[in-house]
Amino acid sequence: MKNCGQTFDKALETIHAFQEALQRTLFPNIEAEIGGLDERHRKFVGICAAVRDDFPMAKYAWCGNGKPPKSRWSYFKAYMAKAMWNFNSTVALIGELAARPTLRRICGFDDAGDIPSQSQFSRVFALFDKDETAQKVFGKFIG
């Protein structure tokens, strides 16, 4: 049986290596593209990078019917931003995405005109809640 201390130490080493990679490569690339990031934006980018591989991309892929939807990954980043910045409603989230170009672009909406409507957000957020997407994505961190 593995020593719990060794397992914990290995996990900490992995986290440290991930943080170093963010500092060396991801943040400079993002800042070159969209400008400087404050500490909260850096934390948000780190969270997005940490959970991206656990987001079920295939589940939310376009099935070929109708107009291709906006990226569900972008919606999920907005879903996380709503919680991280404590926006009290989807309307508040939409207003903040329109007013904060850095946050909007991190979420994947390049221009204010790319921000989905309240009904689109509500429909996708309800789907995330029904599918327990957040619980599954963050499950490895909290359970």
Side-chain angles (χ1 to χ4, degrees):
M1 183 173 173
K2 277 189 168 180
N3 180 334
C4 287
Q6 289 174 333
T7 302
F8 183 73
D9 289 343
K10 184 70 172 169
L12 285 177
E13 287 176 25
T14 302
I15 290 168
H16 181 70
F18 180 72
Q19 288 174 326
E20 290 294 317
L22 287 175
Q23 294 292 333
R24 273 192 329 274
T25 58
L26 184 61
F27 292 146
N29 288 334
I30 290 173
E31 288 176 337
E33 178 71 25
I34 65 174
L37 298 174
D38 64 22
E39 189 59 31
R40 196 169 213 182
H41 287 110
R42 285 176 173 262
K43 285 181 183 178
F44 183 65
V45 168
I47 292 167
C48 292
V51 302
R52 182 151 181 11
D53 289 342
D54 296 303
F55 182 76
M57 297 287 186
K59 179 176 186 145
Y60 298 112
W62 180 50
C63 64
N65 295 327
K67 179 182 173 186
K70 287 187 173 47
S71 163
R72 293 305 189 241
W73 174 238
S74 292
Y75 278 96
F76 192 72
K77 289 186 286 185
Y79 186 84
M80 292 188 298
K82 183 179 175 188
M84 185 168 173
W85 272 269
N86 295 313
F87 301 138
N88 61 1
S89 68
T90 301
V91 172
L93 168 67
I94 292 168
E96 294 297 330
L97 289 172
R100 299 180 186 197
T102 301
L103 181 59
R104 180 180 66 239
R105 294 197 61 203
I106 291 170
C107 287
F109 309 113
D110 290 333
D111 298 310
D114 295 332
I115 301 169
S117 68
Q118 179 183 356
S119 63
Q120 290 170 315
F121 269 122
S122 295
R123 189 170 44 253
V124 175
F125 288 176
L127 181 62
F128 290 158
D129 290 340
K130 178 181 165 261
D131 293 344
E132 297 182 340
T133 303
Q135 292 87 334
K136 292 173 184 170
V137 168
F138 289 105
K140 76 176 191 181
F141 298 104
I142 58 176

